[in-house]
């Protein structure tokens, strides 16, 4: 009798486990998955962070979102009318391109030149659109500066705001409404992670190497060393800036 009861209980538990497993599988299949956050290539982060300090409207997420929309981070991106990771038209690069890596020449294909030049040009465009209707707010000025980067500042000035160009409007909407929020989340997560790990490293470096007992702090003891710490290129037709 006891063995029969044990068998029933075992079967019940096994059945319950199967039901729970099935529920979890169904939930996994039916619940929308969280969108994967974009990642700034580690090799680009130092120059991006430095470039973002060019003027107050800029930020790492904004420049990153713009680069993502322009080239998908591809240094050899070439739309036929714009080139490099920041997609400068030749005429615009001639005016705004600068040597950022200190090799004596401004190279549109070199991210250490292109990204600081992108930031510098965006700072200029923020001043251009400041007097345009809608350009006095932070969001409005960002939208118009991005539009000017894509279509040229003259197009924004002539339109007295956002140009009536589907390509430009799609470009701005993609950055502001889609990419920028994702890069902001990704950057927040990155900074939190850096702060967490940095705190651990700092604590490890500052903590005693062993025990805090008098024996371990004896002057005759030798001190131990402290712990040491893909995307598609947009078919943007660049007009004269």
């Amino acid at each position: 009798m006891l063995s029969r009861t044990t068998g029933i209980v075992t079967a019940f538990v096994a059945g319950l486990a199967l039901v729970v497993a099935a529920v979890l599988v169904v939930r996994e299949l039916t619940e929308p998955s969280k969108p994967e956050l974009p990642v700034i290539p580690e090799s680009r982060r130092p120059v991006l962070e430095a470039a973002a300090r060019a003027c107050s409207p800029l930020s790492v997420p904004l420049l990153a979102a713009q680069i993502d929309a322009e080239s998908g981070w591809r240094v050899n991106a070439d739309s036929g009318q714009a080139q490099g990771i920041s997609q400068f038209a030749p005429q615009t690069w001639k005016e705004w391109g600068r040597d950022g890596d200190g090799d004596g020449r401004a190279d549109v294909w070199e991210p250490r030149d292109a990204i600081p030049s992108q930031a510098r040009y965006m700072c200029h465009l923020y001043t251009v659109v400041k007097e345009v209707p809608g350009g006095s707010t932070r969001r409005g000025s960002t939208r118009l500066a991005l539009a000017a980067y894509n279509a040229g500042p003259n197009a924004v000035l002539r339109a007295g705001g956002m140009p009536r160009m589907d390509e430009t409007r799609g470009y701005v909407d993609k950055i502001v409404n889609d990419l920028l929020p994702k890069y902001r989340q990704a950057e927040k997560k990155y900074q939190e992670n850096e702060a967490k790990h940095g705190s651990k490293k700092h604590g490890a470096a500052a903590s005693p190497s062993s025990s805090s007992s008098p024996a371990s702090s004896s002057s005759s003891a030798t001190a131990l060393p402290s712990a040491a710490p893909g995307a598609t290129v947009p078919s943007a037709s660049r007009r004269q800036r």
Side-chain angles (χ1 to χ4, degrees), residues 69-226:
E70 289 286 354
S71 66
W73 296 97
R74 295 202 300 130
V75 299
N76 61 346
D78 189 345
S79 69
Q81 294 182 321
Q83 302 169 325
I85 195 170
S86 300
Q87 288 290 279
F88 275 95
Q91 187 61 35
T92 310
W93 182 256
K94 184 177 180 181
E95 181 178 358
W96 291 97
R98 294 292 185 274
D99 172 24
D101 60 1
D103 67 354
R105 67 192 186 98
D107 184 359
V108 73
W109 304 107
E110 170 53 63
R112 291 173 297 176
D113 292 350
I115 294 175
S117 297
Q118 170 193 347
R120 183 171 175 271
Y121 186 43
M122 279 294 291
C123 290
H124 166 71
L125 294 176
Y126 268 106
T127 64
V128 170
V129 304
K130 192 173 182 180
E131 303 303 322
V132 175
S136 59
T137 66
R138 187 174 185 84
R139 180 179 173 85
S141 62
T142 294
R143 290 181 62 85
L144 291 175
L146 290 169
Y149 193 96
N150 178 264
N154 288 335
V156 173
L157 293 174
R158 284 195 301 268
M162 185 65 63
R164 295 183 178 277
M165 301 174 183
D166 291 341
E167 176 193 301
T168 299
R169 293 182 177 223
Y171 168 85
V172 173
D173 287 341
K174 179 180 181 179
I175 293 174
V176 174
N177 299 332
D178 180 24
L179 293 173
L180 183 54
K182 292 177 182 177
Y183 273 103
R184 280 176 175 159
Q185 289 180 11
E187 186 64 13
K188 181 181 179 182
K189 190 173 181 181
Y190 174 86
Q191 294 300 337
E192 288 174 349
N193 190 49
E194 284 294 295
K196 182 179 178 181
H197 288 172
S199 176
K200 285 183 178 179
K201 290 177 184 177
H202 179 73
S207 64
S209 58
S210 182
S211 170
S212 59
S213 64
S216 65
S217 60
S218 171
S219 59
S220 62
T222 303
L224 295 176
S226 299

